[in-house]
Amino acid sequence: MAASLLRLHFHDCFVNGCDGSILLDKTSTIDSEKFAKPNNNSARGFEVVDAIKAAVDKACGGPVVSCADILAVTARDSVVALGGPTWEVRLGRRDSTTASRTAANTFLPTPFMNLSALISNFKTVGLGVTDLVALSGGHTIGFAHCALFRTHIYNEIDIDPSFAQSVKRICPFKGGDNNLQPLDPTPAKFDDNYFKDLLNKKGLLHSDQELFNGGSTDAIVVKYGSDYGEFAADFVKSMVRMGNLKPLTGKQGEVRKNCRKIN
């Protein structure tokens, strides 16, 4: 669940800023981001966020902490729980009163992107190349569905043949779209094995291996794969930068009573 909660924060911030919009359910006036292609039948952890929100509001005597702030803090605590670094989360975000499935489909990166598309995608939201590689390191925890890496293991050559063959046992050429494979060998531990895998052509997703495939990000992957401290330090900086993307403050938005719907 830690990987899913980290991903929720990421997918929230990339769509019109860190405003809790990903948490809103569909209504007659809200086109929920939960049904965007990168989120549909993939994003999860909403019930956990609901429980955290209820506990926080009870402790505070009412809706004082926004759902957007809860996502930011929960992402940090999820990383810490799996042995990763900690950082100070700046609070004060407010929640959006709308969502956009169209924006989610437009701005969320996909596992099928090449390096230039990934760099452009991050640049669009205000993040750089180091942010791209460092935040991709979040794939050191969690799993991916077969449908997201089938093409990579069956049709592409930038992959270790023995690794591809082993993953084919989990992901057949046809069927099994929802079968899960760890994104790195230690999916419940925040470490640098993700980058070590990339160095050995064992990236599970096409977009992962693009970070080490003869392009401009190779040197950063080499650095992170040989020095966990460098990765952890840059990951923290990038998480802070991402968490500060276009927050709603002051009288903008609201502090939702229920993260799934506007007040």
Side-chain angles (χ1 to χ4, degrees), residues 17-209:
C18 308
D19 60 4
S21 59
I22 192 174
L23 302 174
L24 289 171
D25 287 339
K26 181 178 176 62
T27 69
S28 59
T29 58
I30 293 176
D31 193 9
S32 177
E33 294 166 21
K34 295 178 181 180
F35 296 100
K37 290 181 180 179
N39 294 327
N40 193 28
N41 298 318
S42 174
R44 67 191 191 107
F46 300 107
E47 296 81 5
V48 175
V49 174
D50 291 340
I52 294 171
K53 172 66 171 172
V56 170
D57 284 357
K58 182 178 180 180
C60 294
V64 177
V65 180
S66 69
C67 300
D69 274 354
I70 286 174
L71 283 181
V73 174
T74 302
R76 188 270 314 276
D77 290 353
S78 295
V79 169
V80 172
L82 296 187
T86 189
W87 60 93
E88 182 178 349
V89 177
R90 186 178 181 182
L91 302 177
R93 302 168 189 81
R94 288 170 65 83
D95 298 319
S96 68
T97 55
T98 187
S100 175
R101 178 167 59 168
T102 299
N105 282 324
T106 300
F107 294 112
L108 288 174
T110 77
F112 310 108
M113 285 180 168
N114 61 26
L115 181 59
S116 62
L118 289 167
I119 291 173
S120 177
N121 175 267
F122 272 63
K123 183 178 180 180
T124 297
V125 299
L127 297 173
V129 173
T130 298
D131 298 312
L132 162 63
V133 182
L135 291 174
S136 295
H139 285 177
T140 185
I141 57 176
F143 297 76
H145 288 113
C146 166
L148 300 180
F149 57 82
R150 178 182 282 117
T151 299
H152 182 49
I153 63 172
Y154 281 96
N155 298 338
E156 299 178 357
I157 60 174
D158 60 333
I159 186 169
D160 177 78
S162 61
F163 172 69
Q165 193 61 39
S166 68
V167 177
K168 288 175 183 178
R169 293 195 290 267
I170 300 295
C171 184
F173 189 73
K174 291 185 178 180
D177 284 2
N178 291 322
N179 292 354
L180 294 172
Q181 172 72 13
L183 285 159
D184 88 355
T186 52
K189 183 179 180 182
F190 195 96
D191 53 27
D192 59 359
N193 280 336
Y194 167 80
F195 295 105
K196 295 181 187 300
D197 273 358
L198 298 187
L199 295 173
N200 291 303
K201 296 292 185 179
K202 295 181 179 180
L204 183 63
L205 305 177
H206 171 81
S207 57
D208 287 332
Q209 196 58 60

